Amino acid sequence: MKVYKRVLLKLSGEALSGDKKSGFDEETCRKVAEQIKKVVDNKTDVAIVIGGGNFWRGRTSENIDRTKADQIGMLATVMNCIYMSEILRSIGISTEIMTPFACGSFTTLFSKDRVMEAFSESKVVFFAGGTGHPYFSTDTATVLRAIEIEADVILAAKAIDGVYSADPKVDPNAVKYDTLSFDRIVDEKLGVIDLAASVLCMENKMPMLIFGLGEEESIIKAVNGTSNGTVITTA
């Protein structure tokens, strides 16, 4: 049974690169696109934010001004959204890419009215370019857009299948959380998502599901409420 009517799907840039760790892996992207098509065909509104980590991580650069580094990262997210948009189009899904700044003819400027119109036409909407400002991560942009479009939930697809008490690749005794609260993330600075995004979710009662993208039909299960990921609650 479908649980969510409108979702914001957050994909990491690395998720698009598959085993390559950088750039794009077309097979991986196509598998993601095919799941999204099934979700849209089932009448769920889908918006997508994609990180830029498969091309650029501005915060790891020590030799470039932070503002400029973040601007490069914003453009990396635009490239990712254009690529993923075309993969979706190739399998019959209409799309629209929106940015918070003018980007030639590649994208349109974000507005909630445009998003609602696109949803009414069964389009998948991509939110590229982050918030348009430096010092804000794609986590923050994801939460901001989810609140603005009144999404039911944020679905965050990761390389790992949820949130653990420690890195399960390092600590064999790491325990996976089925549920976790934003209060705890903020109080204990757990680093699941950045603090600004966590506070935004908490204050605006926006739940989040963190799940492993690599699981079979993981996106479909997340939308249907049958994922075995970690649910992050607002209370």
Side-chain angles (χ1 to χ4, degrees), residues 74-127:
M74 291 176 211
L75 293 177
T77 71
V78 174
M79 290 193 296
N80 281 341
C81 286
I82 291 172
Y83 182 86
M84 197 66 208
S85 169
E86 287 307 301
I87 296 293
L88 279 169
R89 286 174 183 267
S90 74
I91 61 171
I93 294 292
S94 296
T95 64
E96 189 157 352
I97 305 171
M98 297 185 187
T99 48
F101 47 77
C103 200
S105 60
F106 299 142
T107 68
T108 58
L109 286 175
F110 168 81
S111 82
K112 183 176 178 179
D113 288 343
R114 283 198 186 100
V115 175
M116 294 304 115
E117 182 178 352
F119 284 157
S120 72
E121 297 169 355
S122 298
K123 290 182 177 180
V124 170
V125 180
F126 288 86
F127 298 133

Side-chain angles (χ1 to χ4, degrees), residues 3-220:
V3 173
Y4 301 118
K5 172 59 181 171
R6 179 173 299 154
V7 301
L8 198 155
L9 175 65
K10 167 70 187 303
L11 298 171
S12 69
E14 291 92 332
L16 301 184
S17 63
D19 294 332
K20 296 179 180 179
K21 305 301 181 184
S22 64
F24 302 116
D25 181 76
E26 186 169 346
E27 182 180 355
T28 298
C29 294
R30 189 165 293 277
K31 287 179 179 178
V32 170
E34 287 168 354
Q35 290 188 70
I36 293 169
K37 185 178 189 302
K38 290 179 181 179
V39 170
V40 173
D41 288 345
N42 200 32
K43 307 302 181 186
T44 293
D45 297 333
V46 178
I48 299 174
V49 171
I50 306 176
N54 53 325
F55 286 111
W56 180 258
R57 284 197 172 278
R59 295 183 186 185
T60 63
S61 175
E62 297 178 357
N63 301 315
I64 298 178
D65 176 81
R66 172 65 186 273
T67 296
K68 297 303 179 185
D70 283 358
Q71 289 170 348
I72 296 170
M74 291 176 211
L75 293 177
T77 71
V78 174
M79 290 193 296
N80 281 341
C81 286
I82 291 172
Y83 182 86
M84 197 66 208
S85 169
E86 287 307 301
I87 296 293
L88 279 169
R89 286 174 183 267
S90 74
I91 61 171
I93 294 292
S94 296
T95 64
E96 189 157 352
I97 305 171
M98 297 185 187
T99 48
F101 47 77
C103 200
S105 60
F106 299 142
T107 68
T108 58
L109 286 175
F110 168 81
S111 82
K112 183 176 178 179
D113 288 343
R114 283 198 186 100
V115 175
M116 294 304 115
E117 182 178 352
F119 284 157
S120 72
E121 297 169 355
S122 298
K123 290 182 177 180
V124 170
V125 180
F126 288 86
F127 298 133
T131 65
H133 300 285
Y135 297 94
F136 291 96
S137 71
T138 50
D139 284 344
T140 303
T142 296
V143 176
L144 179 63
R145 294 297 182 235
I147 293 165
E148 288 180 297
I149 68 170
E150 301 174 65
D152 296 323
V153 67
I154 295 168
L155 305 177
K158 304 280 189 178
I160 193 168
D161 65 348
V163 181
Y164 286 77
S165 59
D167 186 345
K169 295 179 181 178
V170 176
D171 184 352
N173 297 314
V175 176
K176 181 181 172 185
Y177 298 111
D178 292 327
T179 61
L180 195 62
S181 70
F182 284 110
D183 279 331
R184 185 173 176 186
I185 290 172
V186 171
D187 291 344
E188 299 181 19
K189 298 182 180 178
L190 295 179
V192 178
I193 61 172
D194 71 44
L195 286 177
S198 297
V199 171
L200 265 178
C201 280
M202 189 166 57
E203 291 181 343
N204 292 277
K205 301 191 182 304
M206 177 58 65
M208 179 181 292
L209 170 69
I210 295 179
F211 66 99
L213 184 63
E215 183 183 345
E216 188 73 20
E217 295 199 322
S218 60
I219 295 172
I220 294 170

